[in-house]
Amino acid sequence: MKFTVAVAGCTGYAGGEVLRLLLGHPEITIGNLTAGSSAGTRLGEHQPHLVPLADRQVLPTTAENLAGHDVVFLALPHGTSGPVAEQIAAQQGGDKVLVIDCGADFRLESAEQWTKYYKTEHAGTWPYGLPEMPGQRELLKNTRRIAVPGCYPTTTTLTLLPALTQGLVDGHDVVVAAASGSSGAGKAPKPNLLGAELFGSASAYGVGGVHRHVPELLQNFAKLGAPEPSVSFTPLLVPMARGILAVVTAPVRPGVTAEDIHAAYVKAYADEHFVHVLPQGQWPQSQHIVGSNAVHVNATLDADAGRLVAVGTLDNLCKGTAGGAIQSMNIALGLDETTGLTTIGVAP
């Protein structure tokens, strides 16, 4: 049995990556493709690399155009998925269709935190699409709604997860510096993303705890066992198209050694297909995960500072968005979660 899939927001980076991966998925048939201002054009005008779909017409994003599919991906701007999801439910009669939101609308459990950081009304909370977190696979099985995590929270959470679940750190005083490629900012033209502005430069943004992913990070740390989590998160924009590399530090408990830390990471991810712990002394590089659903991590001890230092990298468009969404979709549909996904990157 093949499942039919519609993609709303098909002309953006996230929607394009969802389609790229779905074209290689053996259990999927791609149905309607929709967008906002791009409606009425050919997909090939926006996603020329998707050759099999180049002549498809982009339809308006309406509940009628998304109806009749087994799965609907929403690759829409933050704050717009909620109303579309309501229309889909009304059109198709409740929760018959699997709706996967690649935006932020349904990630947070706290309406107060949503309003504080996103300045709009909270749309609700859906099961969180990060299968590697303890207990998430059970929540994703047979669900009809999935909230795809943010790319920074996916990277940071998986980079720190073993240290929290194995009790090496308590989740207090976590410091994160994470560098992202420009695709993380979306496809809309912005002056700071022009080639002349981006090439040969690195810059910080969202400085001082104001980035929208802060509450999502704290929510995840709490679910991983941190009793009173705190985080200082500084995102960086660097001149590459894809990828995130996060450096995460936190105070370690007394007596923890570098060997303890590495062993904890190996143990925590021993059965995870997409998370690869590197040998001691080898550190993740963003170039090695491009185009894949893989996560590369490693961690050690800064003995003088008394802090764990963990480094993780992933492709923000793949495992950080579309790949993570398809991995979660596979679980919800009862498929092997690796179907249609690869751990093999593109090099050079």
Side-chain angles (χ1 to χ4, degrees), residues 179 240 242-245 284-290 313-315:
M240 61 186 185
R242 288 172 175 254
I244 288 179
L245 188 137
Q285 299 181 38
S286 63
Q287 65 177 323
H288 296 152
I289 46 73
V290 172
T313 190
L314 54 74
D315 185 326

Side-chain angles (χ1 to χ4, degrees), residues 93-244:
D95 297 337
K96 292 182 180 179
V97 61
L98 172 60
V99 182
I100 303 173
D101 182 24
C102 295
D105 289 31
F106 299 98
R107 295 171 185 163
L108 297 184
E109 296 178 354
S110 168
E112 179 181 355
Q113 289 294 298
W114 172 269
T115 302
K116 176 181 176 180
Y117 282 87
Y118 289 90
K119 313 301 182 186
T120 61
E121 185 177 351
H122 188 226
T125 307
W126 290 356
Y128 194 66
L130 190 54
E132 291 82 5
M133 286 182 66
Q136 287 306 118
R137 285 186 173 90
E138 289 304 313
L139 294 178
L140 293 171
K141 287 180 181 177
N142 300 313
T143 185
R144 298 292 90 188
R145 298 290 184 267
I146 296 172
V148 179
C151 51
Y152 280 126
T154 296
T155 315
T156 302
T157 300
L158 294 178
T159 300
L160 190 61
L161 182 151
L164 283 168
T165 59
Q166 302 295 315
L168 304 179
V169 302
D170 64 7
H172 179 70
D173 189 23
V174 176
V175 177
V176 182
S180 174
S182 59
S183 61
K187 209 171 187 179
K190 303 177 182 69
N192 68 311
L193 301 181
L194 292 172
E197 300 289 338
L198 184 64
F199 298 153
S201 179
S203 59
Y205 66 100
V207 178
V210 299
H211 194 278
R212 289 173 170 178
H213 286 165
V214 168
E216 191 176 344
L217 289 171
L218 294 173
Q219 178 176 284
N220 289 357
F221 295 168
K223 288 183 177 296
L224 293 175
E228 296 181 6
S230 66
V231 64
S232 175
F233 171 57
T234 304
L236 307 168
L237 178 64
V238 295
M240 61 186 185
R242 288 172 175 254
I244 288 179

Side-chain angles (χ1 to χ4, degrees), residues 256-301:
V256 172
T257 67
E259 289 72 23
D260 295 334
I261 292 171
H262 191 264
Y265 274 68
V266 171
K267 177 182 178 181
Y269 288 133
D271 297 323
E272 291 295 346
H273 181 77
F274 292 113
V275 186
H276 179 52
V277 181
L278 299 179
Q280 285 182 288
Q282 182 179 346
W283 295 101
Q285 299 181 38
S286 63
Q287 65 177 323
H288 296 152
I289 46 73
V290 172
S292 80
N293 204 53
V295 184
H296 290 186
V297 298
N298 209 346
T300 192
L301 174 69

Side-chain angles (χ1 to χ4, degrees), residues 17-103:
E17 187 73 352
V18 168
L19 289 171
R20 181 181 76 86
L21 296 173
L22 290 178
L23 282 168
H25 197 297
E27 305 299 332
I28 294 300
T29 298
I30 297 174
N32 285 350
L33 310 179
T34 77
S37 60
S38 302
T41 62
R42 292 172 51 255
L43 184 68
E45 298 176 36
H46 311 279
Q47 311 282 14
H49 63 299
L50 301 178
V51 175
L53 302 173
D55 291 330
R56 288 285 196 95
Q57 183 181 22
V58 178
L59 304 173
T61 298
T62 65
E64 290 75 18
N65 287 332
L66 297 175
H69 298 84
D70 299 305
V71 184
V72 174
F73 285 89
L74 303 178
L76 303 173
H78 300 325
T80 60
S81 295
V84 175
E86 287 185 3
Q87 294 165 15
I88 292 171
Q91 175 78 20
Q92 306 206 29
D95 297 337
K96 292 182 180 179
V97 61
L98 172 60
V99 182
I100 303 173
D101 182 24
C102 295

